[in-house]
């Protein structure tokens, strides 16, 4: 019996050692250029086949067990226009926390991102709807039971550089173009379930926004979803210091004849307490410098002002 027991134990030790070596080899392979190039090609090929439009990634870098970096990302819509493009998309995530139903994002760093969201007539569909349909299930399924045990999501740091977004909605008559030079913040508390957020400092530099509003289509032509009206949940958002610099906003409304422009060099706000639900704001310091504003109204706009008075 002792002889057979020794053999079994020896076999188990060899098996455990082999599994450990296999895991180590896999972790090393994941971080090699050859493996990452192979994974990148497989991902882009799968996505192109699934959605039927061009998808490209110049480089995929994985630093196990935390960091994933995508460089030179490009996604084309069905009109062969840019849906999403990015110089660098970096996510630092705690991989091992996923085993305990927790998504912990240590750092989100987006640089040189361009996104175009467009809704056109006559179908009133967004230019990304085909992607949702491609991944949607073909057969109706019963609603699955929630077995996640309450997955939590947390974010520590966010950094955004050179972000350009366009939102053009022919249904509502809104055409918005925004360019963000830089934004960064760090969260001390991030609770999506309770909508509770705490951050010491928020810095934003270089924001240019252009909004053009035209007449929306008739309500009869819009698709209206029936949704359950729920009580409003007010977010609990607290910050110590907010710094906004080099803000330019341009607003045109062709319906009521309004044309407004605002330029702001710097706005500094230090807060003691914010209570959105009870509409109570306690500010320690407000510093405003280099602001200019222009408001022009045509006859239609002046009539609107008179009615408001």
């Amino acid at each position: 019996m002792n002889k057979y027991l020794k053999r079994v134990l020896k076999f188990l030790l060899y098996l455990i050692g082999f599994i450990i070596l296999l895991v180590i080899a896999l972790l090393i392979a994941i971080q090699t250029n050859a493996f990452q190039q192979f994974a990148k090609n497989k991902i882009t090929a799968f996505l192109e086949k699934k959605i039927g439009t061009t998808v490209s990634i110049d480089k995929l870098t994985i630093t196990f067990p935390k960091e994933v970096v995508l460089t030179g990302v490009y996604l084309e819509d069905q009109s062969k226009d840019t849906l999403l493009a990015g110089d660098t998309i970096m996510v630092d995530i705690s991989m091992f926390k996923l085993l305990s139903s927790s998504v912990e994002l240590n750092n989100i760093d987006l640089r040189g991102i361009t996104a175009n969201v467009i809704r056109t007539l006559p179908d009133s569909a967004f230019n990304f709807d085909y992607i949702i349909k491609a991944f949607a299930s073909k057969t109706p399924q019963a609603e699955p039971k929630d077995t996640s045990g309450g997955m939590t999501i947390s974010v520590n740091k966010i950094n955004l550089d050179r972000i350009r977004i366009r939102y053009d909605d022919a249904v509502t008559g809104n055409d918005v173009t925004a360019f963000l030079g830089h934004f960064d913040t760090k969260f001390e508390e991030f609770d999506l379930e309770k909508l509770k957020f705490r951050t010491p400092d928020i810095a934003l530099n270089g924001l240019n926004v252009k909004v053009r509003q035209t007449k929306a289509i008739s309500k009869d032509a819009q698709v209206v979803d029936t949704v359950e009206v729920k009580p409003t949940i007010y977010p609990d958002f607290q910050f110590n210091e907010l710094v906004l610099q080099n803000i330019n906003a341009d607003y045109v409304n062709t319906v009521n004849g309004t044309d407004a422009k605002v330029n702001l060099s710097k706005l500094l706000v230090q807060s003691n307490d914010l209570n959105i639900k009870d509409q109570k704001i306690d500010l320690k310091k407000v510093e405003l410098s280099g602001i200019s504003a222009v408001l022009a109204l045509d006859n239609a706009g002046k009539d609107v002002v008179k009615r408001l008075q």
Side-chain angles (χ1 to χ4, degrees):
M1 289 296 295
N2 291 336
K3 183 178 180 180
Y4 286 113
L5 182 60
K6 288 180 180 180
R7 288 182 179 180
V8 171
L9 291 175
K10 186 181 291 187
F11 171 76
L12 291 175
L13 289 175
Y14 282 140
L15 180 61
I16 293 171
F18 174 76
I19 293 174
I20 292 174
L21 290 176
L22 185 63
V23 171
I24 293 174
L26 179 61
L27 296 180
I28 295 174
I30 287 175
Q31 300 179 74
T32 62
N33 290 330
F35 180 89
Q36 293 173 7
Q37 181 74 13
F38 171 79
K40 181 207 73 171
N41 293 337
K42 287 294 184 181
I43 291 171
T44 54
F46 168 78
L47 290 175
E48 284 191 337
K49 183 178 180 181
K50 189 71 175 178
I51 66 179
T53 56
T54 301
V55 179
S56 66
I57 302 172
D58 289 344
K59 187 177 181 180
L60 167 66
T61 305
I62 303 173
T63 305
F64 196 86
K66 295 180 64 179
E67 195 172 281
V68 178
V69 181
L70 298 176
T71 306
V73 177
Y74 177 77
L75 176 60
E76 196 174 75
D77 64 17
Q78 292 180 310
S79 300
K80 298 189 180 300
D81 293 326
T82 301
L83 179 61
L84 176 69
D87 292 345
T88 304
I89 299 175
M90 191 277 284
V91 178
D92 186 339
I93 182 171
S94 298
M95 299 287 189
F96 294 116
K97 288 292 184 71
L98 296 174
L99 300 176
S100 57
S101 299
S102 178
V103 179
E104 185 176 298
L105 300 172
N106 302 306
N107 190 15
I108 299 175
D109 195 341
L110 306 179
R111 304 187 182 189
I113 303 297
T114 298
N116 294 306
V117 179
I118 300 173
R119 182 157 65 155
T120 57
L121 298 174
D123 56 355
S124 301
F126 285 103
N127 59 339
F128 59 83
D129 283 349
Y130 74 101
I131 298 178
I132 298 175
K133 292 178 181 178
F135 285 94
S137 176
K138 302 298 182 182
T139 57
Q141 297 179 354
E143 185 175 348
K145 295 182 180 180
D146 185 7
T147 58
S148 61
M151 177 172 285
T152 60
I153 300 175
S154 64
V155 178
N156 186 11
K157 294 170 60 178
I158 297 178
N159 183 84
L160 307 177
D161 286 302
R162 297 175 286 111
I163 309 298
R164 187 183 303 275
I165 297 176
R166 186 189 177 194
Y167 175 76
D168 187 1
D169 191 342
V171 176
T172 61
N174 291 305
D175 188 350
V176 182
T177 302
F179 176 80
L180 174 62
H182 174 77
F183 170 87
D184 71 81
T185 190
K186 182 178 180 179
F187 290 95
E188 294 177 343
E189 184 175 1
F190 188 95
D191 192 333
L192 276 178
E193 184 177 353
K194 297 180 180 178
L195 293 180
K196 192 174 184 179
F197 310 100
R198 299 283 186 276
T199 176
D201 303 303
I202 301 173
L204 188 152
N205 192 343
L207 176 62
N208 293 277
V209 180
K210 292 184 177 180
V211 180
R212 181 178 177 84
Q213 288 187 316
T214 56
K215 187 176 181 180
I217 65 173
S218 64
K219 294 182 179 180
D220 295 336
Q222 299 185 38
V223 177
V224 180
D225 293 330
T226 302
V227 296
E228 181 183 354
V229 179
K230 298 181 179 180
T232 303
I233 301 176
Y234 295 93
D236 182 1
F237 179 71
Q238 301 289 335
F239 67 88
N240 293 336
E241 183 173 279
L242 168 68
V243 180
L244 306 180
Q245 298 184 80
N246 302 316
I247 309 298
N248 300 292
D250 189 343
Y251 173 77
V252 175
N253 190 316
T254 61
V255 179
N256 61 24
T258 303
D259 189 344
K261 294 179 176 61
V262 176
N263 300 315
L264 173 65
S265 294
K266 183 178 179 180
L267 172 63
L268 183 146
V269 179
Q270 293 179 348
S271 169
N272 289 325
D273 183 48
L274 294 175
N275 191 325
I276 300 175
K277 181 179 179 180
D278 297 333
Q279 298 183 359
K280 294 180 180 179
I281 300 176
D282 182 6
L283 300 180
K284 180 180 179 181
K285 180 180 179 181
V286 178
E287 183 180 300
L288 182 64
S289 61
I291 183 171
S292 63
V294 177
L295 175 62
L297 302 173
D298 61 14
N299 291 332
K302 292 176 182 178
D303 292 339
V304 173
V305 174
K306 289 179 180 179
R307 289 197 298 270
L308 292 175
Q309 291 175 343

